[in-house]
Amino acid sequence: MKKAGITTKLFVATAAFFILFYFIVLSGQLIVFPNFYEQRKFKKLEQEAAALASIYRSDPEAIWEDSSPSILRLYKDGANFALTDFRGNLRTSDPYRMEVERSDGRTIDVSLYYLANAFRPEFSRLRLSPGQQVTMRGVYGDDTERNVFYPHYLQKAEGASIGEAGDGTDDGSEIQEAAGTIKRISMPDASKASRRSGLLYLAMDEFFPLSAEHTERLKNMEPVEQEWVDPWSESRSLIMIQPVRRGDGEIKLLFLVTSMQELKETNSALRVFYAYLGAGGLVLILLLSKFYSHLVTRPLLLLNKRAEKMKNLDFSWGEPIPRKDELGSLSHTLVELSGKLGRTLDELNDTNERLRSEIEQNKELEQLQKDFFANASHELKTPISVVRGFAEGMRDGISTGRQDHYIGVILEQSEKMERLVQDMLDLLHLESPAVKLYKSPVLLSELTEDVLDNLVYQMEEKKVTASIDCFEERPVMADAGRMEQVVLNLMTNAIRHAKEGSVIEISVRGGAEDCSYVVHNKGEAIPEEYQKRIWERFVRVEASRNRKSGGTGLGLAIVKRILELHGCAYRVENRDGGVTFTLLFPS
């Protein structure tokens, strides 16, 4: 019963909505749309009439220029106009015109209206265009149209012609000949222009002579707007007569006409369209009814399946069922419940994981602190003991003749403690979040040469030399001061562990993606278990911690931190009878 009830409800709602929608659209189409379209046509015609009147008042001849945006817009909207007086004597806007430049440089305006309408097929095949040479026979206009030539025969330079090459006219006017080069030409679609012109002449025959009421309104400079029905085709048109006063005070009339036939055709097409739409809507109702009949059982099965998943602690529900009835409300409630349970369980798991991680980190941190204090204490204990012993010896007067030696030892151990403390402070500063790098282009080869100049005595003491090999080196963006620390520690480490009489090899290679910096020294290899640990604090390869190689045990830890701040990769490996440190700088 519930299934049938919901199906019936959906069927009625869908049918009612579709029928209401169809009724509103059809009513709007039949009632509102024609009035809206007609008002829009009237408004556009008023705007075009005002634009033509403005052009005529400023320059009476400019109204015949077909290139004017206002006239082109008028033709595009399917309208036509004529300039006339109160008796109906008119001068139409000729859409078929061209300008021809004669050999003497004079430009004449040529009307092609007669040739375009009397010889339409031949005129279309003639394909006139700017730049062509033409010869014409015809007559010039009278009065204001003295510069307008009306040809009844036209021939192109290549021989194609149109019209009748007669020697006289019906009224006995003298035939004249004109020739020249086409400068500009206006040729709208012939069928549309003919329809507009025919409609214009029919409307003028209907309106002239003007009625007394229209004459009075026009003399008072009031425009006349009226709907007109063609008695032959029974098509509706809009007529507007706009009075315009010339500079000499004479009133001329702009007679504009535009057809409303397309509205009738559009209305008829829309009626047929909505009839098909109504039939399609009925079919859609049947399909929707069948679809919605399955809409009840499917959500119930889905809800039961998801409840089973919740029982097994699987809270991955996904999206709720998109319904606005009781089933939809139940689905949203279960989704919210499942989401809250899932989030709670995830939070508990995350909390447990964080606690476990924090405990492990605290243990590691505690162990690191113990190791650090133990290492620091051990590193400081020996030099402090030496300083104390020699100081007590000097106080007690032991070996009075060797005081200079005692003082030298004390100063040497003090310098070692100072270096150790300075390295610890440097490492502490580098691990601070507030550390800043001042990057600039750095050439690693030049930096290495400067560092080696400062280590020349250590190299002579160890009897080692250094060679630098560069290939396509490019500057790297780095903090020059920090990078000098890196190179100094690497060079010091290489000199300290190099075999006597060997050569420390330094290689700088530029690549498309990175720049490599390699330091290789001959000597004792690093045990595999120490290759990762040598970057840690106070880690020495010598297990005895006798510091026979010198150093504070923090040099490589400082190198590691500086390289990480620069985003550089680094590694150490035993190779070619020695140890190789490789640094990779991003290009």
Side-chain angles (χ1 to χ4, degrees), residues 196-332:
R196 287 200 304 265
S197 299
L199 187 63
L200 175 66
Y201 295 140
L202 284 174
M204 293 190 66
D205 287 342
E206 184 77 16
F207 269 75
F208 287 94
L210 295 170
S211 65
E213 178 186 357
H214 289 169
T215 302
E216 184 66 23
R217 289 183 60 184
L218 293 170
K219 286 183 177 181
N220 292 331
M221 303 302 292
E222 297 178 10
V224 173
E225 298 177 357
Q226 187 171 328
E227 183 178 324
W228 173 67
V229 179
D230 180 5
W232 295 95
S233 63
E234 297 185 354
S235 61
R236 296 168 60 244
S237 300
L238 297 179
I239 304 294
M240 183 171 185
I241 306 176
Q242 174 71 46
V244 57
R245 192 184 301 276
R246 291 175 47 173
D248 56 4
E250 182 183 0
I251 297 176
K252 290 290 185 179
L253 305 179
L254 283 171
F255 191 95
L256 293 89
V257 58
T258 183
S259 175
M260 298 287 288
Q261 181 64 21
E262 62 269 23
L263 174 61
K264 181 179 179 181
E265 295 172 354
T266 303
N267 244 7
S268 300
L270 284 175
R271 288 191 183 95
V272 175
F273 170 74
Y274 283 115
Y276 284 113
L277 184 63
L282 294 175
V283 175
L284 183 62
I285 290 174
L286 297 176
L287 294 175
L288 288 175
S289 299
K290 183 178 179 180
F291 171 75
Y292 286 131
S293 65
H294 298 283
L295 200 63
V296 177
T297 56
R298 181 175 175 272
L300 288 174
L301 294 174
L302 184 58
L303 289 173
N304 183 65
K305 182 179 179 181
R306 291 181 174 179
E308 290 289 335
K309 292 173 67 177
M310 289 179 62
K311 184 179 70 174
N312 297 322
L313 298 180
D314 183 358
F315 302 105
S316 56
W317 262 70
E319 293 296 325
I321 300 173
R323 293 177 67 106
K324 293 185 178 181
D325 52 16
E326 291 79 1
L327 292 176
S329 177
L330 177 60
S331 172
H332 279 276

Side-chain angles (χ1 to χ4, degrees), residues 378-523:
H378 183 85
E379 294 293 333
L380 290 171
K381 181 179 179 180
T382 301
I384 289 175
S385 299
V386 172
V387 169
R388 181 178 179 179
F390 276 80
E392 289 177 350
M394 292 178 64
R395 184 192 64 186
D396 296 336
I398 300 174
S399 301
T400 305
R402 302 186 63 190
Q403 286 187 357
D404 291 340
H405 171 69
Y406 280 25
I407 292 173
V409 172
I410 291 173
L411 290 176
E412 180 183 353
Q413 296 301 320
S414 299
E415 289 175 0
K416 288 182 180 180
M417 286 189 290
E418 183 181 3
R419 286 199 303 272
L420 177 61
V421 172
Q422 186 61 47
D423 285 349
M424 287 191 293
L425 291 176
D426 282 348
L427 188 58
L428 182 63
H429 176 68
L430 289 170
E431 290 179 345
S432 170
V435 65
K436 291 184 179 179
L437 297 178
Y438 301 94
K439 292 185 177 182
S440 61
V442 175
L443 281 173
L444 296 175
S445 60
E446 293 183 359
L447 186 62
T448 304
E449 291 176 355
D450 294 339
V451 171
L452 289 174
D453 288 341
N454 296 328
L455 298 175
V456 63
Y457 295 111
Q458 289 90 325
M459 294 173 64
E460 289 178 354
E461 182 180 355
K462 195 66 180 287
K463 298 179 182 179
V464 297
T465 59
S467 68
I468 302 175
D469 179 25
C470 299
F471 180 74
E472 295 184 357
E473 181 185 8
R474 292 193 296 272
V476 298
M477 295 301 297
D479 186 315
R482 295 298 182 186
M483 203 50 58
E484 184 177 0
Q485 281 184 275
V486 171
V487 175
L488 178 61
N489 280 322
L490 290 178
M491 292 298 106
T492 304
N493 188 74
I495 294 171
R496 187 178 298 129
H497 296 92
K499 185 186 296 185
E500 288 191 4
S502 64
V503 178
I504 299 174
E505 299 172 356
I506 301 123
S507 172
V508 183
R509 292 284 185 273
E513 297 182 357
D514 53 35
C515 177
S516 65
Y517 182 79
V518 181
V519 179
H520 175 77
N521 66 273
K522 300 285 186 179

Side-chain angles (χ1 to χ4, degrees), residues 161-204:
S161 63
I162 184 176
E164 300 173 352
D167 294 329
T169 62
D170 293 340
D171 58 2
S173 301
E174 181 181 355
I175 296 297
Q176 299 181 18
E177 186 171 299
T181 304
I182 300 175
K183 291 182 61 180
R184 188 173 60 177
I185 187 168
S186 172
M187 290 193 302
D189 184 84
S191 60
K192 292 182 180 179
S194 298
R195 287 198 298 270
R196 287 200 304 265
S197 299
L199 187 63
L200 175 66
Y201 295 140
L202 284 174
M204 293 190 66

